[in-house]
Amino acid sequence: MSALRLLAGAAALALVGGLAACAPADEPVAEEPTVEPTPTETPTEEPEPTPLVFTMPTDCTTILPQSRLDAFAAQNLALLGGPGGVYGDDYFFDPTPEQLAGGISCVFAEDGVDLSSLLISVAPISTANRAGIINDLTAQGFNEGTTPEGAITYSQQGDEGVVPAIYNVITQESWISVISTFGGPVFYEEAVTLAEEVTSQVFQ
């Protein structure tokens, strides 16, 4: 009987050992992935735009870009009146409102030919005279508007008969005006373009 118990005990030990050998090994613990911190972008500050400065031109030869002056010459439009012109300020019988405000007026026309001419003026504006200039333009019944930059405009389209195209631009520092002998949509648009070109010359 004792021999059978020993065999049974030995078989039991062998069975336990076999089961132990078949037991799965411990699974390795998976490591959590390291999350890299997201870099914080520093917003780029846009530089402040440099404000344009108005400079009052001293004569009529600098109020328009050279390309426009060349185009006028091709159309036989000469600088007749105003400082730097053929006849200077003697061209005018009476001073223009812009001249009375301390500015200059310039006439581009074909000498000796009574056809379309352009009167382009630039005058400085201050707190002392701005309200008076605006009141005078308002009293003339012009259409009031604004430019994309916030300047006030006073204008009339006119017609191709006897009503001229007129465009005035009033800023805090300047008064720019263009008067075309002929009116109508085409000459009005030209007056607006000329005023913009003058603005680009006197504001730098």
Side-chain angles (χ1 to χ4, degrees):
M1 181 64 86
S2 58
L4 291 174
R5 289 180 180 173
L6 289 175
L7 287 173
L13 289 175
L15 179 60
V16 172
L19 292 175
C22 294
D26 292 338
E27 292 287 338
V29 179
E31 295 184 0
E32 292 291 332
T34 303
V35 179
E36 295 293 333
T38 304
T40 303
E41 293 186 4
T42 304
T44 304
E45 293 186 4
E46 293 293 333
E48 290 290 332
T50 303
L52 298 176
V53 178
F54 170 69
T55 301
M56 179 64 207
T58 57
D59 63 62
C60 298
T61 62
T62 61
I63 65 169
L64 288 166
Q66 187 60 47
S67 58
R68 177 62 67 176
L69 298 177
D70 293 341
F72 280 169
Q75 300 172 55
N76 295 320
L77 297 179
L79 175 57
L80 301 181
V86 175
Y87 305 106
D89 284 336
D90 293 337
Y91 184 92
F92 304 97
F93 292 108
D94 296 305
T96 66
E98 293 85 351
Q99 287 173 323
L100 292 174
I104 61 175
S105 291
C106 314
V107 175
F108 294 88
E110 191 170 353
D111 199 2
V113 179
D114 188 18
L115 289 174
S116 177
S117 63
L118 290 162
L119 174 61
I120 304 175
S121 303
V122 183
I125 281 185
S126 65
T127 53
N129 66 357
R130 190 173 191 273
I133 291 171
I134 289 176
N135 288 339
D136 289 343
L137 293 172
T138 302
Q140 295 179 58
F142 291 129
N143 299 313
E144 184 175 340
T146 56
T147 67
E149 295 74 28
I152 307 173
T153 63
Y154 296 90
S155 63
Q156 71 176 27
Q157 180 173 284
D159 58 46
E160 295 181 8
V162 295
V163 182
I166 300 176
Y167 190 72
N168 295 274
V169 184
I170 305 295
T171 70
Q172 295 294 333
E173 301 88 9
S174 69
W175 173 16
I176 295 171
S177 68
V178 179
I179 300 176
S180 174
T181 300
F182 293 153
V186 173
F187 290 99
Y188 175 78
E189 288 301 323
E190 180 186 48
V192 173
T193 299
L194 290 171
E196 291 172 347
E197 291 180 355
V198 173
T199 300
S200 69
Q201 291 294 109
V202 300
F203 280 91
Q204 299 286 337

